[in-house]
Amino acid sequence: MEVVYFAGGCLWGVQAFIKTLPGVVFTEAGRANGTSFTLESDYDGYAECVKTGFDPSVVSIRELMGYFFEMIDPYSLNKQGQDVGEKYRTGVYSENPEHLLEAQAFLCKRNDYDLIVVEVLPLTNYVRSAEEHQDRLARCPNDYCHIPVELLNKYQ
């Protein structure tokens, strides 16, 4: 199993979507690449993200990137749906340099590459979100989500 971190706006919908993808073994709501090891100061530059464990014999980083691009607006800086702010930026983070190379190659093959604002960076810091944010939409399906319901159900 390998691990990658996807930031795509509010983590509730991102986690709900990623959990449905083939090859995904586990997900965990959290925050990536902030400047502290706690979440006490308005996220300290963190991006809301989903830690994603996946089986590379079933799904590749490039395939995960394709799914990710179904869910996000890759041209929107610090905004997804009605969520606005740096913590809602889009990004792919990993401790594995091969993941980052594959993610960057996915972006570079797109003819709209110059317009894309998705970060592809090494993971420098990760903090797990509070229990109330874990699998939030499964527990509270009527909560706000910027991802259309049809997409949340597409791969189930």
Side-chain angles (χ1 to χ4, degrees):
M1 182 179 62
E2 298 182 16
V3 176
V4 66
Y5 303 75
F6 289 103
C10 175
L11 53 80
W12 297 346
V14 175
Q15 185 178 33
F17 175 72
I18 289 176
K19 285 183 78 117
T20 69
L21 301 179
V24 170
V25 178
F26 78 86
T27 61
E28 178 180 88
R31 310 300 199 279
N33 285 12
T35 57
S36 73
F37 290 96
T38 66
L39 297 175
E40 295 176 5
S41 172
D42 198 25
Y43 303 114
D44 291 330
Y46 280 97
E48 289 197 4
C49 74
V50 175
K51 180 178 184 180
T52 304
F54 68 99
D55 180 346
S57 70
V58 177
V59 66
S60 70
I61 290 292
R62 287 187 194 198
E63 289 169 315
L64 287 172
M65 289 291 293
Y67 293 125
F68 181 57
F69 264 58
E70 287 185 58
M71 177 186 61
I72 64 166
D73 176 352
Y75 318 110
S76 183
L77 183 62
N78 299 331
K79 180 181 186 302
Q80 292 293 304
Q82 295 176 12
D83 301 313
V84 179
E86 182 184 16
K87 69 182 180 180
Y88 298 117
R89 67 188 182 271
T90 54
V92 179
Y93 312 104
S94 182
E95 296 173 302
N96 182 335
E98 291 298 316
H99 291 169
L100 301 176
L101 289 172
E102 286 187 54
Q104 194 62 47
F106 174 90
L107 297 179
C108 288
K109 285 190 175 187
R110 294 180 55 97
N111 57 6
D112 57 354
Y113 175 74
D114 325 5
L115 305 173
I116 295 172
V117 295
V118 176
E119 295 180 331
V120 176
L121 297 169
L123 182 74
T124 58
N125 197 352
Y126 173 77
V127 178
R128 183 182 191 277
S129 290
E131 198 57 42
E132 68 195 56
H133 295 291
Q134 304 301 324
D135 297 310
R136 176 70 181 218
L137 287 184
R139 290 181 291 105
C140 306
N142 294 324
D143 276 0
Y144 165 76
C145 181
H146 68 286
I147 300 171
V149 173
E150 312 80 65
L151 188 56
L152 290 175
N153 296 324
K154 184 174 180 179
Y155 297 102
Q156 291 185 355

